[in-house]
Amino acid sequence: MDTAPRSSEEKNIFVIGLDEGNDEVLRRIPGADQYRFHPLLSVEELQQGEIHIVELMEKAQSHLDAFEGTIDAIVSYWDFPSSTMVAMLCEKYGLPGVSLEAVLKCEHKFWSRLEQAKVIDELPEFAIVDLDNDDPSPPANVDYPMWLKPVKSFSSELAFHVADEGEFEKAVAEIRAGVGRIGEPFDYILGKVRLPAEVADAGGAACLAEGALSGVQAATEGYVHKGQVTVYGVLDSLNYPDTPCFQRHQYPSQLPEDAVQRMKEISVRVMEQIGFDNATFSIEFFCHPESGQACLLEINPRHSQSHAELFEYVDGVPNHDLMVRLGLGKEPGERRQQGGYRIAGKWYHRRFRDGLVTRVPTSAEIADLEAKIPGVKIEVVPEEGTRLSDLPAQDSYSYELAHLYVAAQTEREMESKYRRCTEALRFEFEEG
């Protein structure tokens, strides 16, 4: 990772939370020899423990102000607080970027639903749950089963599927105990824009209830440039059987064309309503392939780092290229399927109970697997000696052991490659 200016021809791009894996991806995008990527804050500072947003902003600005070269772009692929920091820093330094208000209209789940409801009907019933009430109750307009979640969270943290009063009470108690970690700094950022009365009343540490959606999960990946919304890819999201936990995301979508087209239409309509511009986004959906109906789950107003390798395998270029080009104020350009594979997936190898990690696959074992099975990249999540429940950014039901990027010519071949990998990956645990 570079830290000093070089020639005047190079563009200095500051990446909030630049990590080793994404640094490697960024160096594979077209024109990377003319880009110099600089880290701005660490992943640990941004994602772990308490989020001290004021200190993070001050530290970022101090680093940028001390830089002797030109500041040509500020980008990131992380969720809050990075997503909002990019908007604020781009505004401060006069760089192309999305407005803070547009980001918050996406990130605040209640505000986002209010905006969506102005232009689409494909939504569940939703309402705020009053956490300040001594005895919170489900909203009158939302029936069981429902989802309870903070109005701002990431990686499904503190999101609970609730089927009855007992589960409702348990979920409310857990959300009450943990919502402040993200909710309080999020509240601070909300104070920088003019809020609708109902959003201001809810605040940033509120709880949202939504009717449970059903169907096949999928997502659109897109960007907005000079007001023009473009959806450049659609992916499928498949869960582990009988769980709400992702097993894999795969590109391109295998859904019928009418369902894919409907998701694209909804994406354009909603992002235009929100006023989102000059940045990438992804939107999650539930689809019913038989009817083509698509219901919007949530909007992510940031670049999707999780899918970079998938686009590289299939299209020949990581989607990080779009983030960088937009950050520099350049035309994104067309994308063509010119990779070596027809389908690629990001798989989540999970464990569904806690435990102390006593062994993880070695670097040599992983390198051997990647060499034996073309189109495979493996990233181990926990370190030896880690208790799984101490891992950051996990969902409420499972723990990630490894991320596997698997590319193939058919979905069946991809599934076979994944099984070969997980059978060979040796993890060991101490129970309890």
Side-chain angles (χ1 to χ4, degrees):
M1 300 180 192
D2 296 326
T3 56
R6 203 183 295 166
S7 76
S8 59
E9 295 180 359
E10 289 182 325
K11 297 296 184 181
N12 294 302
I13 300 167
F14 287 82
V15 186
I16 298 179
L18 181 61
D19 60 310
E20 184 177 348
N22 281 289
D23 186 57
E24 293 175 1
V25 173
L26 286 165
R27 293 180 187 283
R28 297 199 298 269
I29 67 175
D33 58 332
Q34 292 300 308
Y35 301 149
R36 199 132 194 253
F37 299 106
H38 305 268
L40 188 60
L41 304 176
S42 70
V43 178
E44 291 73 23
E45 288 175 300
L46 295 160
Q47 297 289 310
Q48 297 182 13
E50 297 299 318
I51 298 172
H52 301 290
I53 187 66
V54 175
E55 294 177 15
L56 290 172
M57 281 294 293
E58 290 175 348
K59 186 172 182 179
Q61 290 178 47
S62 176
H63 187 90
L64 291 167
D65 290 343
F67 185 68
E68 295 181 358
T70 59
I71 301 170
D72 299 300
I74 301 172
V75 298
S76 186
Y77 35 73
W78 295 105
D79 204 326
F80 182 82
S82 304
S83 51
T84 53
M85 291 179 67
V86 167
M88 291 188 290
L89 290 170
C90 284
E91 182 180 12
K92 178 176 175 60
Y93 291 92
L95 299 170
V98 63
S99 71
L100 178 62
E101 180 176 321
V103 170
L104 293 174
K105 283 182 179 180
C106 298
E107 291 214 338
H108 193 291
K109 297 182 191 299
F110 180 53
W111 194 0
S112 187
R113 286 300 193 201
L114 294 174
E115 289 296 314
Q116 296 162 31
K118 294 175 182 178
V119 291
I120 63 172
D121 298 320
E122 296 89 342
L123 301 171
E125 295 293 337
F126 63 94
I128 291 292
V129 174
D130 185 3
L131 295 179
D132 294 329
N133 192 313
D134 292 337
D135 186 23
S137 58
N141 65 319
V142 184
D143 297 325
Y144 294 115
M146 68 179 70
W147 278 91
L148 292 185
K149 58 188 78 172
V151 293
K152 179 60 206 156
S153 64
F154 43 74
S155 299
S156 298
E157 186 176 315
L158 293 177
F160 298 95
H161 185 267
V162 172
D164 54 39
E165 289 185 11
E167 292 184 357
F168 179 89
E169 292 176 3
K170 182 179 179 181
V172 164
E174 292 203 39
I175 292 172
R176 267 178 167 168
V179 71
R181 186 180 84 84
I182 299 172
E184 291 176 7
F186 189 55
D187 230 354
Y188 171 82
I189 300 299
L190 288 173
K192 295 185 173 294
V193 302
R194 180 177 296 178
L195 302 174
E198 56 266 60
V199 177
D201 289 343
C207 173
L208 182 68
E210 293 187 337
L213 296 173
S214 63
V216 178
Q217 286 186 258
T220 57
E221 294 281 342
Y223 62 84
V224 190
H225 179 61
K226 296 183 178 178
Q228 182 69 41
V229 183
T230 299
V231 176
Y232 63 84
V234 181
L235 305 92
D236 299 323
S237 299
L238 290 83
N239 288 354
Y240 279 84
D242 303 316
T243 79
C245 306
F246 286 132
Q247 182 192 57
R248 72 181 185 270
H249 306 293
Q250 63 185 23
Y251 172 71
S253 173
Q254 304 299 295
L255 290 170
E257 182 57 33
D258 58 345
V260 169
Q261 190 58 38
R262 185 62 185 142
M263 286 187 286
K264 290 181 177 180
E265 292 170 357
I266 292 173
S267 299
V268 171
R269 192 179 300 176
V270 167
M271 299 315 281
E272 287 178 344
Q273 167 62 30
I274 286 171
F276 197 87
D277 203 359
N278 301 313
T280 59
F281 65 85
S282 67
I283 303 180
E284 299 173 40
F285 292 87
F286 274 93
C287 298
H288 291 275
E290 301 81 8
S291 66
Q293 182 187 27
C295 290
L296 195 155
L297 177 60
E298 69 176 28
I299 305 171
N300 298 303
R302 58 177 171 80
H303 184 68
S304 181
Q305 60 167 313
S306 297
H307 304 151
E309 283 87 352
L310 310 190
F311 287 103
E312 186 173 17
Y313 278 133
V314 177
D315 294 345
V317 179
N319 62 343
H320 282 26
D321 177 56
L322 294 169
M323 174 186 71
V324 171
R325 294 182 68 84
L326 288 165
L328 291 167
K330 294 183 177 180
E331 197 76 38
E334 292 186 15
R335 297 181 65 82
R336 299 183 178 90
Q337 292 188 345
Q338 296 180 333
Y341 299 90
R342 294 180 180 176
I343 188 170
K346 179 182 180 181
W347 295 71
Y348 297 84
H349 184 35
R350 299 180 184 271
R351 193 173 197 255
F352 288 84
R353 62 184 186 278
D354 198 5
L356 182 69
V357 182
T358 57
R359 186 191 192 279
V360 299
T362 66
S363 299
E365 291 169 346
I366 291 171
D368 184 55
L369 257 183
E370 292 176 341
K372 286 180 178 177
I373 309 175
V376 166
K377 177 185 174 185
I378 301 167
E379 298 175 349
V380 172
V381 176
E383 296 179 355
E384 188 176 309
T386 301
R387 180 162 293 282
L388 292 176
S389 55
D390 291 335
L391 289 172
Q394 301 297 298
D395 66 36
S396 301
Y397 299 96
S398 69
Y399 308 99
E400 296 173 4
L401 301 181
H403 301 155
L404 291 86
Y405 300 90
V406 185
Q409 302 306 330
T410 67
E411 192 171 9
R412 178 174 292 183
E413 181 192 359
M414 180 178 65
E415 292 170 350
S416 175
K417 285 185 176 183
Y418 171 75
R419 284 194 298 271
R420 287 174 61 190
C421 290
T422 54
E423 287 168 1
L425 291 174
R426 187 178 150 208
F427 290 89
E428 294 178 3
F429 307 92
E430 182 180 301
E431 302 294 341

